[in-house]
Structure formats: structure tokens, C-alpha cells
Amino acid sequence: MTREEYQERFRIRRLNPGDIIAQFDCADEDLNDFLLNESSLYRNALLSVTYVLEDKTTSEIAAYFSLSNDKVSISDFESKTEFNRFRKHKFVNEKRLRSYPAIKIGRLAIARSAQHQSIGTYLLEFIEDYFIVDNKSGCRFVTVDAYVDAIPFYIKNNYQFLNNDDEDKRTRVMYFDLASLM
């Protein structure tokens, strides 16, 4: 589907306080539980904001994602040398800080009924555009703690590993540089 076709079929909206989600199944209990039971708690505590992708005709939720503030900093790397290599390739000398603003994709899930339709890629593009076009504050990177099974999806969408020290974990920290879109 093209972007226009997605926009014709779906709407993305921020979950509002009091919104009750009755059902959602993406085949992952943790991701289901977050949307059904925890997303409002995170919003009320000002920890993250959840958005849903709804079918305009049926109002069925096809996908959701949650966003929170993050940063890419020296503490994300095994050594100061690794961090310096990272920022040397991204920033001119006068813009070398100890950390850089980012937005974190805390959760991203596609309902079983909507999987294998490139909706995940559409949502990543939406998030990236949102922070380039409608940026409310400085934001250079999109980060995600990608489940190991989702790593090929993020790689396909031009996300890179932030470091190599988390290879044996359930998730890997990955990032997308928003400056690559400018």
C-alpha cells in the first residue's frame, strides 16, 4: 500500500484519558497487556504516550505504538572512545555533547489480522516524519529496544545497533538518525 492508501484506510490517534480498549491481539501477551491494561497508567504517570492505528470504517485497532523521551549518551557505550567514534561521524566539532535528544519507541505492535501488510514500516515512517516535520523540541534520534525477533524488521527500515555489548540479551538497542531524512 502507498502512504496515501494507508491514510485513506486508517487514522492514527493519540489515546485519550478514559479510552478503554476492549480487545487487541498481536500474538504477544506482553504487548497485548500493555495496550489493554498499562498504557493509561504510563500516560497518567507522564512516562509515555500511546497512539493507535484505527481502521476508519470499523474503528478496529490494527496497531499501536508508544513513545517516550530518551537520549543517546556516553553511558550507552562500552567506552568513551566508542561514543566519540559514534558522534564524530554524526556531528561537527561544536555540536559534540555528552548526550543527544531522542524519542524512544517503547512498544510497537500489529494486530494479527493486520500483520504482513507493511503497517509497521508505515508507522516507523509516521514517527520519523512526526519528529522531523512537526517537531516540538529538538530530537535527533529514534531509539528502540528491539526484541531479537524484530531485529530484521528494524534493520530493513534502516535502524542500526547502538552498541555491541547487549548481544546476549532479549532485546538490542537500535537507533535511527533523523538527520538522514533531511
Side-chain angles (χ1 to χ4, degrees):
M1 261 196 260
T2 66
R3 183 179 291 214
E4 292 75 24
E5 290 170 322
Y6 281 115
Q7 291 171 342
E8 191 174 305
R9 180 176 172 196
F10 297 106
R11 74 177 142 259
I12 296 175
R13 72 171 180 87
R14 183 179 176 157
L15 280 183
N16 296 310
D19 280 352
I20 297 172
I21 308 300
Q23 64 181 29
F24 181 80
D25 182 18
C26 69
D28 182 300
E29 284 305 313
D30 182 48
L31 292 172
N32 292 341
D33 184 61
F34 181 82
L35 181 63
L36 298 172
N37 301 309
E38 296 180 33
S39 60
S40 61
L41 300 173
Y42 275 72
R43 185 186 198 298
N44 293 341
L46 304 176
L47 297 175
S48 71
V49 176
T50 301
Y51 297 80
V52 293
L53 179 76
E54 288 180 322
D55 186 294
K56 287 182 178 178
T57 306
T58 66
S59 295
E60 180 180 324
I61 295 175
Y64 81 90
F65 60 92
S66 67
L67 301 175
S68 59
N69 293 321
D70 197 12
K71 66 180 177 177
V72 173
S73 72
I74 194 167
S75 64
D76 292 322
F77 295 84
E78 283 185 30
S79 69
K80 187 176 180 181
T81 303
E82 262 190 62
F83 179 66
N84 286 335
R85 272 190 222 123
F86 171 82
R87 69 182 180 175
K88 179 181 178 184
H89 297 290
K90 305 280 183 204
F91 301 97
V92 294
N93 285 335
E94 59 271 7
K95 301 298 182 243
R96 292 195 181 164
L97 308 171
R98 294 180 59 80
S99 66
Y100 299 93
I103 192 73
K104 179 182 263 326
I105 300 171
R107 306 281 194 296
L108 188 146
I110 313 300
R112 284 184 201 227
S113 61
Q115 291 176 359
H116 308 292
Q117 298 178 36
S118 298
I119 288 174
T121 296
Y122 171 69
L123 291 177
L124 289 181
E125 291 172 356
F126 173 85
I127 293 165
E128 293 156 6
D129 287 349
Y130 189 72
F131 285 93
I132 290 289
V133 176
D134 198 22
N135 195 0
K136 303 285 190 251
S137 65
C139 181
R140 174 63 185 257
F141 300 102
V142 178
T143 61
V144 63
D145 294 339
Y147 287 132
V148 172
D149 293 345
I151 288 173
F153 163 73
Y154 286 104
I155 289 173
K156 181 183 94 177
N157 285 284
N158 301 312
Y159 281 64
Q160 300 173 35
F161 295 111
L162 190 59
N163 56 43
N164 294 318
D165 70 345
D166 57 357
E167 290 182 20
D168 295 327
K169 297 181 182 174
R170 220 178 115 223
T171 62
R172 294 285 311 273
V173 179
M174 300 182 79
Y175 75 95
F176 180 83
D177 187 353
L178 291 169
S180 69
L181 299 176
M182 299 176 79

